[in-house]
Amino acid sequence: MTANMTHVLVIAELERGQVKAATLAAISCAQQIAQASGGSFDVLAMGHEVSAAGATVGKFGAGKVYLADSPELSNPQSDKSAQLVSALAKQVGANIVLAASSTFSKDILPRVAAQLDAGMLTDVTAVTPEGGDWIFQRALFAGNVIATVALDGPVKVLTVRASAFPAPGESAGTAAVAS
């Protein structure tokens, strides 16, 4: 994988059909990666009655917003959610799959990483292109240590610290929505 033309899949975290604020930090990280690489990003919203969430996340420059809307997803189960995420990541050719650091993402994304045979990092605070790939900074020991890490392999899975990324800027258009 090269840093050029990176495609990111952001997993939106929802509560009662509404986008959690931490998801906006994940979108901000995806915007930074897309801008630095000339690539793009998509967003996946999973749950029941998620069309309002799709409209919310579609304002920030995503190529597409994917809605996985089913009563069965109203209380996400990690195995089913991970299968859904990894299948979509393969379908869209995502090089990076990311979400905000939370119990939700830390339950699902390790399973996604295993299914994609990808490396994973949690609590990422910065992403920098370097030498055709990406270098990540992550907090360790309650933020007392910052590690600089590179992940091998064509696909990377991350959780990002919401406090490390500013609110994303809205784009001029709205992303296409796919189910």
Side-chain angles (χ1 to χ4, degrees), residues 11-25:
I11 311 309
E13 187 170 350
L14 311 177
E15 186 171 332
R16 294 186 196 114
Q18 301 300 309
V19 178
K20 285 186 145 185
T23 294
L24 300 181

Side-chain angles (χ1 to χ4, degrees), residues 17 27 31-32 42 54 58 62 84 93 117 145 147 152-153 165-166:
I27 291 172
Q31 285 177 334
Q32 289 178 13
D42 295 327
L84 182 74
D117 195 26
V145 175
D152 286 336
F165 294 91

Side-chain angles (χ1 to χ4, degrees), residues 3 11 18 47 51 60 63-64 71 78 85 88 93 114 124 132 134 136 141 160 162 164 166 170 179:
I11 311 309
Q18 301 300 309
S51 59
F60 300 105
K64 273 193 179 171
S78 52
V85 171
L88 182 61
V124 171
W134 296 99
F136 306 97
F141 304 109
V160 299
E170 290 188 19
S179 295

Side-chain angles (χ1 to χ4, degrees), residues 31-162:
Q31 285 177 334
Q32 289 178 13
I33 293 169
Q35 184 177 10
S37 70
S40 61
F41 70 95
D42 295 327
V43 181
L44 169 63
M46 298 181 288
H48 183 52
E49 298 177 353
V50 296
S51 59
T56 299
V57 297
K59 301 181 208 175
F60 300 105
K64 273 193 179 171
V65 174
Y66 292 91
L67 301 180
D69 194 333
S70 169
E72 295 174 0
L73 294 171
S74 59
N75 295 311
Q77 295 178 349
S78 52
D79 286 340
K80 288 182 182 180
S81 296
Q83 290 172 353
L84 182 74
V85 171
S86 60
L88 182 61
K90 289 176 185 176
Q91 178 186 328
V92 301
N95 307 99
I96 296 177
V97 177
L98 66 85
S101 289
S102 68
T103 304
F104 169 80
S105 63
K106 290 179 181 180
D107 187 27
I108 293 172
L109 291 184
R111 298 164 198 269
V112 171
Q115 291 171 3
L116 296 175
D117 195 26
M120 181 175 173
L121 289 173
T122 59
D123 296 322
V124 171
T125 58
V127 181
T128 309
E130 185 175 295
D133 208 349
W134 296 99
I135 300 296
F136 306 97
Q137 288 187 344
R138 66 182 297 254
L140 300 170
F141 304 109
N144 291 315
V145 175
I146 303 297
T148 302
V149 181
L151 284 175
D152 286 336
V155 180
K156 292 139 181 38
V157 178
L158 318 170
T159 67
V160 299
R161 276 204 171 171

